[in-house]
Amino acid sequence: MSALERPSGLAPVRLPPRTAIHGGHTEVLVVGGGPAGFGAAMGAAAAGAEVVLVERYGFLGGNATAALVMPLMSFHNEIKQAVGGDENRLLPTDHGEGEPVVAGVLWTLLDRLVRAGGAIPPDPSTGYTVPFDPEIFKLVTYDMLDGCGVRLLLHAFASDLMPLPEGGSRCVFETKSGPVVLDADVVVDCTGDGDLAAAAGAPYEIGRPEDGLTQPMTLMFRVGNFDRQGFLDYVHQHPDQWRGVHGLWDLIRQARDAGELELPREDILFFATPHPDEVSVNSTRFGGLGISVWDLTRAELTTHHQLAQIARFLRNRVPGFAESYVIQSGVQAGVRETRRVLGDYQLTGEDVLSARSFDDVIARGAYPVDIHNPNGPGTILRRVPQGCSYDIPLRTLLPRNTDGLLVAGRCISGDHVAHSSYRIMPISMATGQAAGVCAALAARIGKAPREVPAEQVQRVLRAQGASLPT
């Protein structure tokens, strides 16, 4: 199957004017229902704002559910270094004991997930990750937003954002009912790609500075009918072939030599889930730009073929997988990196790796710098100093050259290195909650978000249970 090639040399086509359905007005409009958007909607609603959340898919969760990015990675600092761990758990063994540096909406969500049987809480036995069930994740987020009075519009893709003469913004959505517009006092861009910030004229960067290449996309998938004991027997007999959640180097080499496997990374990576007969596989890669429809198309075609090869390899060569099958792949390939919107401050890799503090801190992170090679195998991992965390300042959520707009999630203002740490879902939820609170406060006083004092945002975040330094 061939992908449609990117056109070259063709003149743009002018489309005729069109009318749209006016969907009304809200104080805070959150666009994108992933971890950042969920955090933003919850934070804004808890701060007393009228909130509408719009999502492109028919469910919430973003990368957690649409892309099956499982588990939630660690959001704890590392007070005590790991000295080896239980290889039987099929969860990371390299993260030692620590304290959470993200709380607030995230902890409320985790509590609900655990009580619903949809997650395992983070502790040393999980490597401080959170294995979760994506279907229960969808239901819990629906229920939590409903309980806060947030109104939802699903199946609506944001295509444009424009200022209104009387103040506020108008957002355009493409839907099966035709174009729909919503007006808002403040908009929070949680699209992951900074789509609305770019449409509003905010500057942005893409990729690493030397060549503009971004981290690769990955199509995640769930494998069922997994014989855990059969696999662990192999690991115990070949201890040099598995390290916590990744390995199988000898079996990969044998499959490659036999012409059965073309693996785009250095090893097989998979994680346990809340279900003992299931694993979540993170082993496909495609180097391309996640905001290019041409690259996204090629990514889907390429990674689905990679998935089929990997699934056959697991069944045919890896003990414990002889009767396994693919339960589900992501609705789309997971995108790690696209636009990084330039804000009033740009967080740097040095800020992250030196655990820098900021007076206008609104969220914290402790996840390592984690850069997947855009050109092929290999991953760079560099840890935050032991027992420390870095601050994310409010200024990183405020796009330059715009008013009435905040960004949250992986598209906030940072460089390529810093982004590789703060892009994970727990931190995205924390920046989302902060953006939602700031948006609610701005709507209340009728001013631009950058005119809201950081101290007010911090005070409300602490009242909502967020983890901020004192």
Side-chain angles (χ1 to χ4, degrees):
M1 185 180 298
S2 298
L4 180 66
E5 293 296 324
R6 182 196 307 267
S8 60
L10 296 178
V13 176
R14 183 176 296 278
L15 298 177
R18 56 182 183 160
T19 59
I21 301 169
H22 196 291
H25 173 274
T26 186
E27 290 180 317
V28 175
L29 174 63
V30 178
V31 182
F38 175 74
M42 293 289 292
E50 176 192 31
V51 183
V52 172
L53 171 61
V54 183
E55 164 58 35
R56 64 183 294 188
Y57 294 117
F59 52 86
L60 303 176
N63 271 344
T65 53
L68 298 180
V69 179
M70 304 156 59
L72 297 177
M73 300 311 291
S74 172
F75 50 94
H76 296 64
N77 59 15
E78 191 175 29
I79 296 173
K80 182 178 179 182
Q81 285 186 322
V83 290
D86 180 9
E87 297 285 350
N88 295 338
R89 70 194 190 192
L90 303 181
L91 290 165
T93 59
D94 62 343
H95 194 97
E97 297 177 23
E99 297 295 331
V101 299
V102 180
V105 170
L106 175 67
W107 270 117
T108 306
L109 172 65
L110 295 187
D111 179 65
R112 293 283 293 269
L113 283 172
V114 171
R115 286 194 280 122
I120 299 173
D123 64 22
S125 70
T126 72
Y128 291 95
T129 65
V130 181
F132 64 90
D133 182 298
E135 296 305 316
I136 297 177
F137 194 108
K138 294 175 187 177
L139 289 170
V140 167
T141 53
Y142 278 149
D143 290 345
M144 289 178 65
L145 289 172
D146 183 57
C148 289
V150 175
R151 293 179 293 160
L152 293 178
L153 180 65
L154 304 177
H155 297 289
F157 184 88
S159 61
D160 202 0
L161 183 69
M162 60 199 74
L164 292 171
E166 63 274 20
S169 300
R170 172 165 291 168
C171 191
V172 182
F173 298 93
E174 310 302 329
T175 82
K176 293 290 285 185
S177 300
V180 173
V181 298
L182 287 169
D183 299 341
D185 296 334
V186 183
V187 175
V188 186
D189 182 345
C190 299
T191 62
D193 299 319
D195 289 338
L196 295 180
Y204 57 84
E205 294 179 346
I206 297 177
R208 57 191 185 184
E210 60 267 32
D211 54 18
L213 293 181
T214 60
Q215 294 196 58
M217 295 178 262
T218 291
L219 180 68
M220 299 278 292
F221 60 101
R222 300 162 63 197
V223 170
N225 213 23
F226 165 60
D227 176 8
R228 176 186 289 259
Q229 192 55 53
F231 178 76
L232 293 177
D233 289 345
Y234 169 81
V235 170
H236 296 154
Q237 294 164 15
H238 303 82
D240 62 329
Q241 291 299 301
W242 191 254
R243 294 179 186 153
V245 293
H246 67 108
L248 305 179
W249 299 279
D250 284 354
L251 296 180
I252 291 169
R253 177 178 47 78
Q254 294 166 16
R256 278 177 168 155
D257 291 346
E260 299 171 3
L261 182 65
E262 296 179 10
L263 192 68
R265 54 171 292 135
E266 61 275 16
D267 50 22
I268 292 290
L269 170 66
F270 64 72
F271 299 87
T273 79
H275 311 295
D277 61 347
E278 175 187 289
V279 293
S280 171
V281 183
N282 181 344
S283 297
T284 69
R285 277 186 180 177
F286 179 83
L289 187 56
I291 52 174
S292 162
V293 68
W294 321 103
D295 284 358
L296 285 167
T297 299
R298 292 170 53 232
E300 299 296 347
L301 298 177
T302 301
T303 56
H304 275 89
H305 281 98
Q306 292 175 1
L307 179 159
Q309 274 199 1
I310 293 166
R312 282 195 299 270
F313 164 74
L314 293 173
R315 282 194 304 270
N316 295 339
R317 290 191 176 268
V318 181
F321 286 88
E323 303 298 326
S324 68
Y325 63 95
V326 175
I327 299 172
Q328 178 189 21
S329 63
V331 172
Q332 72 161 67
V335 178
R336 290 185 175 88
E337 178 184 15
T338 54
R339 298 184 187 96
R340 303 187 310 277
V341 177
L342 295 178
D344 292 352
Y345 182 82
Q346 185 179 39
L347 197 70
T348 67
E350 182 180 354
D351 293 335
V352 169
L353 293 171
S354 65
R356 186 175 176 186
S357 299
F358 294 91
D359 289 341
D360 60 335
V361 54
I362 43 76
R364 296 191 291 163
Y367 189 70
V369 164
D370 178 11
I371 304 176
H372 295 239
N373 184 2
N375 287 322
T379 304
I380 295 172
L381 280 173
R382 299 174 64 191
R383 295 186 180 278
V384 176
Q386 186 176 341
C388 296
S389 63
Y390 62 89
D391 291 352
I392 299 175
L394 177 62
R395 288 165 290 161
T396 62
L397 313 185
L398 301 170
R400 300 176 196 170
N401 304 338
T402 68
D403 285 315
L405 177 67
L406 295 108
V407 292
R410 62 178 170 85
C411 65
I412 68 170
S413 181
D415 68 13
H416 175 73
V417 175
H419 168 276
S420 71
S421 170
Y422 65 66
R423 65 183 171 86
I424 67 166
M425 293 185 290
I427 299 175
S428 291
M429 199 172 296
T431 60
Q433 182 176 0
V437 166
C438 184
L441 295 176
R444 180 181 304 164
I445 62 176
K447 293 187 177 180
R450 59 173 39 86
E451 297 182 62
V452 177
E455 294 83 0
Q456 291 186 18
V457 178
Q458 292 166 338
R459 183 166 61 250
V460 176
L461 283 172
R462 289 191 178 96
Q464 293 184 6
S467 176
L468 296 179
T470 57

